[in-house]
Amino acid sequence: MRGVLVIGSSSPIGRAIGRAFAADGDTVVGVALEEVDEPAFTRSLVLDCASAEGAEAAVEAVADAAGRLDVVVLAAAVMPVAPITETTDAQWRAALDAVLGTAFAVSRAALPRLAAGSQADGGAIVAVSSVNAFLSAPGLPAYAAAKAGLEGLVRQLALEYGPHGVRVNAVAPGMIGGEDVPDAAAGYPLGRTGTAEEVAQAVRFLAGAGFVTGTVLPVDGGLSIASPAAFLREDLRGRWL
């Protein structure tokens, strides 16, 4: 039984991640900026983990509940939608604090415990990034910058803490849900958008994938392999669609 910390537990993805680990019998502590009523979480805390105090309290909560810390999931995010000329200082800081600030503070607090643990497969950090870290979309400068920075941090930590038995990876979801968005599945080779449960299963896999570190796994229905021209040009669409 592992001790698992899920940061950003109030989102559909965060909740699904909690359920995926709880189904394995793990002790899961969820942390968010608001109260979360989800039975998968042994404890559910309201903390701002972009602060050192909040991050330390979150890590301590898992140690208290499970007696150990094995897996940290970084799933907190804020996504302001505005062109950069209309993005406010507050929106910019909110996106970077939620994604990068939280990842920094929680990793700093958790890594000594993960590196010192006696886990057979070593400790693991799994971050929830986004296809927007490497595929541009209008109106998301703060979110894209934060997620791109998160992926850089993942590689850095994987390099530095691999020798200590800690693996650090990320998943990069495409659109999750989106049933109310017209043509949401356009450009997705699988012909649909994803579910929070599919992201959670990818996170769960990376948490236990003993020889995988420093990678970003797309969970995007093939979006990142497809040329936009394949869907925008009628002559190309006509070849198979």
Side-chain angles (χ1 to χ4, degrees):
M1 183 177 71
R2 296 173 294 185
V4 180
L5 174 61
V6 179
I7 307 296
S9 59
S10 62
S11 70
I13 289 176
R15 291 170 182 264
I17 290 169
R19 292 191 294 269
F21 282 105
D24 286 341
D26 296 325
T27 298
V28 189
V29 173
V31 180
L33 294 177
E34 58 191 13
E35 292 187 7
V36 178
D37 182 13
E38 170 55 61
F41 298 122
T42 302
R43 294 184 63 185
S44 188
L45 306 177
V46 178
L47 294 169
D48 180 2
C49 287
S51 71
E53 296 79 12
E56 291 284 354
V59 169
E60 289 295 331
V62 184
D64 291 343
R68 56 191 290 162
L69 177 64
D70 299 271
V71 179
V72 174
V73 181
L74 303 170
V78 170
M79 188 175 72
V81 179
I84 195 165
T85 53
E86 298 176 15
T87 298
T88 67
D89 291 349
Q91 287 175 319
W92 178 262
R93 286 192 297 269
L96 266 65
D97 281 351
V99 177
L100 270 180
T102 296
F104 164 71
V106 173
S107 296
R108 182 176 60 183
L111 278 165
R113 288 184 182 271
L114 292 171
S118 58
Q119 305 91 328
D121 295 326
I125 296 175
V126 185
V128 178
S129 183
S130 168
V131 295
N132 294 114
F134 50 87
L135 295 177
S136 299
L140 300 177
Y143 184 74
K147 292 294 189 179
L150 179 64
E151 293 187 5
L153 181 63
V154 162
R155 289 186 289 271
Q156 186 72 25
L157 296 181
L159 175 70
E160 293 187 13
Y161 282 86
H164 299 282
V166 181
R167 294 171 294 101
V168 187
N169 293 288
V171 296
M175 179 173 282
I176 303 303
E179 291 82 4
D180 297 330
V181 179
D183 299 320
Y188 286 81
L190 288 186
R192 65 176 178 85
T193 58
T195 68
E197 288 71 24
E198 288 169 326
V199 178
Q201 289 305 318
V203 170
R204 177 176 168 272
F205 162 73
L206 287 175
F211 201 53
V212 180
T213 196
T215 192
V216 178
L217 176 65
V219 186
D220 64 1
L223 178 68
S224 57
I225 65 168
S227 165
F231 291 88
L232 296 176
R233 281 175 48 184
E234 185 175 353
D235 61 319
L236 294 181
R237 287 202 312 274
R239 291 181 182 176
W240 78 93
L241 296 179

